[in-house]
Amino acid sequence: MANYAEEINKRRTFAIISHPDAGKTTLTEKFLLYGGAINLAGSVKGKATARHAVSDWMEIEKERGISVTSSVLQFQYHDCCINILDTPGHQDFSEDTYRTLMAADSAVMVIDASKGVEAQTRKLFKVCVMRKIPIFTFINKMDRDANDTFDLLDEIEKELGIATCPVNWPIGSGKEFKGIYARNEQAVITYSDTEKGTKEGEATEIPITDREKLEQVIGQAPLEKLEEEIELLDGASADFDLDEVRKGNLTPVFFGSALTNFGVEIFLQHFLDMATPPLPRKSQDNLVDPVENDFSAFVFKIQANMNKAHRDRVAFMRICSGRFDATQEVKHVQSGKVMRLSQPQQIMADERKILTEAFAGDIIGVFDPGMFSIGDTVCLPKSQICYEGIPTFAPEHFARVRQVDTMKRKQFMKGVSQIAQEGAIQIFQEFNTGMEEIIVGVVGVLQFDVLKYRLENEYNVEIRLDPLPYEHIRWIENKEEVDLNNLSGTSDMKKIKDLKDNPLLLFVNEWSIGMTLDRNKGLQLSEFGRG
Ligand code: G4P
């Protein structure tokens, strides 16, 4: 076994998913606080002004005051080296948000206790399910009036189709929030509203058997309610089963308040115990073991213009096996080129650190001369590894795009193709009409602005975007067996193709999808394109 096995086994790499405003940023800040990575909470990315300081790589970000990029944070906590993959938290999130999940070994799902499962959580959750990665749920904002706890769990089970197992249980909420009951320890941890930014402080742990003290501290009525709920819970909830958690079938649920820093460290500790270090990953012919194999990585994100002065492109890679040594030559599998990775760096929220080494589980950013595409593999020259591609995620907004000046067709095509190669947009064409018009699909509408901005600024091409009414796209899984010309769809269905001539269907609503499937027996549609 390689002597860096210990380093790799210390790694925990996870993504945080939530609907905007559920408290993802606040929770991340508190995690970092425990890791000692920052002294003051609030320095990850505060709202408004502070956020600009973090990633002002593009004017659009400044104008809108939102973060388009996702960043990676690394910190140490006890014996673990933690990589948090942050995802853009605005409604206008992009395909990058989905791709980030491809680089994570597990996901933390933050839910606002007064809102329950929200739209964006649902979408990101689907990707976690597809990957079968473990999901840990943190139900946040218990210091505010919350929905009924049983209802919240029910909602997660019904809406997301995953069994839940509460690891702890809240006692009241809002002004009546008294703390949590830790089921394993059979003890109540009393709520203390520690100051923003300080570590969890005054909370005390009282065994559930110490009725007298509990009555004093949390009151008689809340205690009786808790006892009832515990009884109900012990009878009704799924048993804790680590195997099921790791297969992504069961989500451990925790309650707390990120803002007042309550329940966060308990969550972090349990999470680190339950989550796995980097696991073997599927290459075309076999499984690549993170410890036994030499260095290998795959590209999950390409970011253009990180540094405006240099118009650079950075490819983000997830290391899947071995140790990365910056002095060593590596092979870009798709082109066969052997080279040294240029300026390998760890991209933190507000700083970039040049790296000399990194390990399986880590994310590195390297300067990309235009060679890398999403899903590409990099490994040692002698290795035979080629990771499976990253699926294409369904865009939800579509527009016809044309250049205003017809003479600029060439630049226009070059621009949209390059931006599509980076994975910021997907481009399609009409199916069999001979029309050359380009249809662009994006996951978040902000990407349309990004496209317009970049074509004007980098390619000197002004464009016109005409929105199309479609919201759903489906890849045809069994395209060899289907005669597309005779497909009987609904009147609002549109046939298109991607640049590799793969046929796809656009729909205005879910109903049309169902109808089309009904009318064409044997037709297999998919929400994910093969990578
Ligand atoms: P996000 O990254 O998921 O979008 O959420 P973020 O952490 O930015 O939190 C959204 C808002 O919710 C923030 O308030 C934040 O302070 C608040 N919040 C987060 N966790 C809790 C919690 O446990 N309890 C309560 N009561 N509030 C919480 P804001 O007013 O939008 O921003 P700010 O001015 O406080 O920064």
Side-chain angles (χ1 to χ4, degrees):
M1 194 181 283
N3 57 8
Y4 43 77
E6 203 180 312
E7 279 294 337
I8 295 174
N9 287 326
K10 271 167 51 176
R11 267 41 189 186
R12 299 286 183 281
T13 302
F14 66 95
I16 305 201
I17 62 177
S18 77
H19 192 82
D21 276 347
K24 183 164 59 81
T25 310
T26 313
L27 186 67
T28 309
E29 281 169 3
K30 298 293 150 67
F31 283 164
L32 293 185
L33 193 68
Y34 287 110
I38 52 169
N39 297 321
L40 259 186
S43 56
V44 178
K45 49 169 187 179
K47 294 263 149 88
T49 50
R51 200 165 267 184
H52 297 158
V54 173
S55 52
D56 57 353
W57 65 279
M58 197 183 251
E59 293 300 317
I60 285 178
E61 278 198 332
K62 283 195 203 153
E63 282 163 21
R64 303 257 186 134
I66 58 167
S67 177
V68 181
T69 54
S70 15
S71 58
V72 186
L73 302 160
Q74 187 179 64
F75 68 97
Q76 309 281 331
Y77 177 79
H78 294 177
D79 294 336
C80 288
C81 173
I82 298 166
N83 291 307
I84 302 185
L85 306 180
D86 187 18
T87 47
H90 190 267
Q91 266 156 348
D92 286 331
F93 76 137
S94 71
E95 233 183 308
D96 271 347
T97 317
Y98 291 139
R99 290 194 197 107
T100 299
L101 290 173
M102 306 306 288
D105 295 322
S106 54
V108 166
M109 175 163 77
V110 185
I111 289 181
D112 182 331
S114 67
K115 302 225 170 94
V117 177
E118 294 176 88
Q120 198 156 302
T121 324
R122 224 171 275 135
K123 287 185 203 163
L124 293 168
F125 184 87
K126 271 193 192 167
V127 181
C128 297
V129 170
M130 177 190 77
R131 285 207 54 218
K132 296 189 170 46
I133 58 174
I135 298 165
F136 299 84
T137 305
F138 186 81
I139 301 195
N140 191 29
K141 304 199 186 180
M142 290 309 298
D143 58 304
R144 291 228 187 114
D145 288 342
N147 294 356
D148 177 77
T149 315
F150 284 107
D151 288 350
L152 279 167
L153 297 180
D154 241 26
E155 195 182 344
I156 296 174
E157 301 212 343
K158 289 211 181 89
E159 292 253 346
L160 306 178
I162 187 169
T164 58
C165 178
V167 175
N168 50 44
W169 190 259
I171 306 164
S173 68
K175 287 202 180 70
E176 300 304 318
F177 186 44
K178 304 287 181 195
I180 47 177
Y181 169 64
R183 294 178 70 201
N184 244 348
E185 293 75 13
Q186 303 197 344
V188 168
I189 298 158
T190 57
Y191 176 56
S192 67
D193 178 351
T194 55
E195 261 177 67
K196 233 182 177 180
T198 59
K199 288 197 182 185
E200 217 155 334
E202 307 303 314
T204 47
E205 196 175 312
I206 309 168
I208 193 78
T209 45
D210 192 348
R211 262 197 128 251
E212 202 180 329
K213 184 143 190 221
L214 281 173
E215 262 188 37
Q216 265 173 26
V217 178
I218 67 171
Q220 192 188 354
L223 179 59
E224 279 168 10
K225 183 162 183 263
L226 173 67
E227 284 169 341
E228 254 170 50
E229 288 179 337
I230 294 174
E231 213 182 303
L232 253 173
L233 188 64
D234 289 345
S237 79
D239 282 339
F240 182 79
D241 179 341
L242 191 56
D243 244 18
E244 287 295 287
V245 171
R246 290 187 171 166
K247 282 187 202 147
N249 296 329
L250 176 70
T251 178
V253 182
F254 301 78
F255 295 82
S257 158
L259 185 69
T260 59
N261 203 8
F262 180 77
V264 174
E265 193 167 24
I266 299 171
F267 173 64
L268 186 60
Q269 283 164 345
H270 278 88
F271 167 75
L272 294 175
D273 282 347
M274 294 180 204
T276 58
L279 292 175
R281 202 162 188 117
K282 226 169 149 189
S283 155
Q284 263 166 8
D285 324 309
N286 54 346
L287 275 179
V288 179
D289 185 90
V291 174
E292 302 293 332
N293 284 80
D294 291 323
F295 165 76
S296 70
F298 73 91
V299 178
F300 68 95
K301 171 175 150 164
I302 291 171
Q303 182 92 59
N305 287 351
M306 291 278 284
N307 181 343
K308 200 152 188 251
H310 302 289
R311 292 226 172 285
D312 61 356
R313 247 166 79 143
V314 172
F316 287 80
M317 298 178 187
R318 147 86 199 223
I319 304 179
C320 301
S321 62
R323 170 176 173 268
F324 167 69
D325 171 351
T327 62
Q328 221 167 22
E329 288 201 312
V330 298
K331 173 173 72 177
H332 172 230
V333 172
Q334 276 68 19
S335 68
K337 278 200 182 120
V338 172
M339 68 202 150
R340 246 178 224 113
L341 292 179
S342 180
Q343 300 168 20
Q345 46 198 295
Q346 195 179 15
I347 315 244
M348 306 281 280
D350 52 359
E351 61 178 281
R352 298 197 205 177
K353 204 168 75 183
I354 298 286
L355 290 169
T356 51
E357 66 168 5
F359 298 92
D362 291 343
I363 310 295
I364 55 171
V366 304
F367 175 72
D368 171 23
M371 170 193 293
F372 297 113
S373 292
I374 305 271
D376 284 0
T377 302
V378 175
C379 59
L380 291 190
K382 60 173 189 195
S383 303
Q384 297 295 329
I385 295 174
C386 186
Y387 288 109
E388 291 187 324
I390 291 184
T392 316
F393 299 98
E396 290 173 22
H397 307 275
F398 300 87
R400 254 183 235 290
V401 185
R402 58 180 78 109
Q403 76 277 12
V404 172
D405 179 350
T406 47
M407 302 297 284
K408 291 197 172 165
R409 178 78 183 168
K410 226 169 138 186
Q411 284 109 300
F412 167 72
M413 283 309 292
K414 185 174 163 207
V416 285
S417 308
Q418 282 188 353
I419 296 169
Q421 189 203 357
E422 288 164 16
I425 56 166
Q426 290 179 41
I427 48 181
F428 309 101
Q429 276 177 320
E430 297 276 349
F431 185 80
N432 275 358
T433 60
M435 277 162 65
E436 293 224 323
E437 251 176 30
I438 293 287
I439 294 169
V440 169
V442 295
V443 169
V445 283
L446 177 68
Q447 295 308 117
F448 282 140
D449 294 359
V450 172
L451 174 68
K452 199 166 161 43
Y453 177 92
R454 291 191 53 192
L455 283 173
E456 278 170 22
N457 282 271
E458 291 168 37
Y459 299 90
N460 200 17
V461 179
E462 204 185 321
I463 55 162
R464 238 187 79 185
L465 280 156
D466 296 311
L468 294 167
Y470 308 99
E471 288 181 10
H472 304 273
I473 188 167
R474 290 293 180 270
W475 280 264
I476 299 173
E477 286 280 286
N478 53 342
K479 62 179 183 192
E480 294 80 12
E481 298 159 21
V482 176
D483 177 5
L484 225 70
N485 292 313
N486 288 321
L487 201 69
S488 149
T490 51
S491 58
D492 55 9
M493 183 189 87
K494 184 172 181 61
K495 297 176 204 170
I496 55 169
K497 60 180 183 183
D498 64 18
L499 298 193
K500 289 182 193 151
D501 278 344
N502 290 313
L504 298 108
L505 302 175
L506 292 180
F507 298 95
V508 173
N509 52 39
E510 297 261 6
W511 181 85
S512 303
I513 303 175
M515 202 62 193
T516 305
L517 283 170
D518 272 356
R519 287 182 184 166
N520 300 275
K521 293 292 170 218
L523 176 67
Q524 288 169 21
L525 301 178
S526 163
E527 266 184 77
F528 303 108
R530 281 186 209 133

